[in-house]
Amino acid sequence: MANLILILGDQLSHRLSALEGADKDNDLVVMAEVHSEASYTNHHRKKLVFIFSAMRHFADALEEDGWRVHYQRYHPDNPAQSIEQVIAELAREYQPERVITTECGEWRLHEQISRSHKTLGIPVEIRPDTRFVCNIDEFDRWAEGRKQLRMEFFYREMRKKTGLLMTSEGQPEGGKWNFDTDNRKKWAGKPPAPAPFREEPDAITTEVIELVNEYFSEYFGTTEGFHYAVTAEQALVALAHFIDFALPCFGDYQDAMSDNEDWLFHSILSPYLNTGLLDPMEVCEEAVRAWHAGRAPLNAVEGFVRQIIGWREFVRGIYWLLMPGYARENRLGNSRELPWFYWTGDTKMRCMHKAIDATARNAYAHHIQRLMVTGNFALLAGVKPEAICDWYLAVYIDAFDWVELPNTLGMVMHADGGYLGSKPYAASGKYIQRMSDHCQNCHYRVQDATGDRACPFNSLYWHFIDRHREDFANNPRMTMMYRNWDKQKSERREALRARADWVLANIETL
Ligand code: FAD
Ligand code: DLZ
């Protein structure tokens, strides 16, 4: 045999760089469901079902395409419990010339794979991941020498590079790079939000659901109602579903939240993009085609394209630029443990309950719930970055370290000092009231900041501003907040501090 080709659970693409130029007759593709990957965090059970089922479908597709595949199914008694052990066993058995793989999406595993040639005694070739628009070296070059890294400027480069939404004169379509100011409408039930795309479990997925129920019964969430796509063909139908039914309103209601709609007008494509079932360029090109055909407005299509070639690529660049030190950042000095209700949803704060409950049922919550509800609360309460990062890594079907960490540690927790935003996304209950209908059904009163029933976000917001004066008072984008805080009467400030202290001391009872 010539080579072992290692394909990881989030590398399910026939165009994967590790497969380029490979020899179907002599090389052996290796895929493995292993305990070490399934247990490094309290993965949502739907995430485990999704990954294992998509891996099994992909292995079958490779075999149909003529590849030789060694596939290890999960069992707690398998002798090889990690990727390294699986490769070591096969290397002993087949004596290949080398191992070929594609850059992986986690520093932890990247370290293991890059060191493995020492124990294996054969070369391990790690190829660039060409599924991204911007490769790691290109991002490093873009970042070099810049005082500040701002997504907006990076995004413009990616628009020019890809030609997406660019005129033939090299200008942005519609005369503007960014239509975000049009994208902040509250949603009041109309137009109705489309039902999400559903793929009913086939025999492979059903078998995996049984496996996860048997061996991962203690893990977060539920396998019930699993409806995600698990093949590239199904993911393309999910993309078409989004373009037809949700994209036209994606922009308008991008920041909205609802008490009774889990998905609103979001695409629910991140699981497929992150595992290779969909290609980011094909997704963006399909959205742009919809705009050309008059099926979706420019503010929606530009907003959607920006999330993918802007934010998604930017956070990956930041991750590989700053790891491994990045994961240890805690510039705001937080020390609080994660409140237990993040795992149970058992809280009287309606917005938090709704976001966590949707997360437990679906392994999904949309961006504004992640950023402005569960994230905002953790920021205001001063939760330790590593604790909240581990929660986000566990509970979402689309969570992989390269994308989860910068979003949580950077965008939400501002623990990196501001790569993902020039000011923290801290907000009081007023923001949640403006963008949702949660507050009208809440135990707490959003109009109050002090008193027993006052919305906890309100006093916590001022507590955050107050306790981080040294960190933010000189930030021009925060001047107004400090002015507002300082001009309140001292008795009012004391009452707000006292309420926040009570909230923090009794956080588990909220
Ligand atoms: P849509 O709203 O339909 O957006 C379209 C696509 O844009 C997404 O599928 C995604 O690929 C991309 N995108 C949008 N925003 C971002 C972003 N900030 N960073 C990277 N890509 C983005 N996204 C993940 O894919 N995995 C994660 O583990 C993850 N963790 C997050 C943690 C926190 C605290 C926050 C605030 C955001 C996180 N995000 C993560 C980003 C974003 O919330 C999800 O990509 C999005 O909610 C996925 O749902 P969707 O496909 O319906 O997205
Ligand atoms: C997330 C995950 C899980 C749950 N299980 C596996 C697995 O059994 N085998 C595998 O190859 N990959 C798995 N993954 C994905 C990896 O943990 C890791 O996040 C990515 O491969 C990083 O690129």
Side-chain angles (χ1 to χ4, degrees), residues 242 250 254 263 265-271 273-274 303-304 306-308 311-313 315 364-372 374-375 392-393 396-405 407-409 411-412 420:
F242 165 67
F250 174 85
Q254 202 178 346
W263 321 87
F265 299 91
H266 291 275
S267 68
I268 322 159
L269 295 177
S270 50
L273 285 163
N274 295 353
F304 181 69
R306 173 158 28 91
Q307 304 313 311
I308 295 181
W311 280 113
R312 185 171 186 272
E313 297 283 334
V315 299
Y364 177 89
H366 60 73
H367 185 65
I368 293 303
Q369 290 175 304
R370 299 187 204 193
L371 180 64
M372 300 310 294
T374 45
Y392 278 102
L393 185 62
Y396 291 115
I397 189 164
D398 55 22
F400 296 91
D401 211 40
W402 66 267
V403 51
E404 175 277 320
L405 190 75
N407 269 295
T408 311
L409 187 133
M411 191 182 297
V412 158
L420 276 290

Side-chain angles (χ1 to χ4, degrees), residues 119-189:
T119 42
L120 294 173
I122 50 170
V124 175
E125 181 185 334
I126 302 176
R127 297 183 177 171
D129 193 341
T130 49
R131 294 174 298 161
F132 289 88
V133 175
C134 180
N135 68 40
I136 293 171
D137 293 341
E138 186 184 351
F139 188 88
D140 291 356
R141 283 196 300 277
W142 175 79
E144 205 179 330
R146 282 174 196 261
K147 269 203 192 136
Q148 284 194 322
L149 303 183
R150 287 286 162 254
M151 195 288 293
E152 183 61 31
F153 299 119
F154 170 78
Y155 164 58
R156 292 178 191 180
E157 294 303 314
M158 293 302 105
R159 286 272 295 275
K160 290 180 207 157
K161 177 176 179 181
T162 58
L164 287 165
L165 293 176
M166 298 299 290
T167 65
S168 49
E169 290 81 41
Q171 295 303 310
E173 292 284 8
K176 283 201 291 186
W177 292 102
N178 183 318
F179 289 79
D180 224 14
T181 45
D182 300 349
N183 291 357
R184 293 187 187 140
K185 289 197 185 131
K186 182 169 178 165
W187 184 68

Side-chain angles (χ1 to χ4, degrees), residues 197 234-246 269 286 295:
F197 168 78
Q234 293 165 4
L236 279 173
V237 184
L239 169 62
H241 181 93
F242 165 67
I243 303 268
D244 288 345
F245 301 112
L269 295 177
E286 207 51 47
R295 293 166 57 215

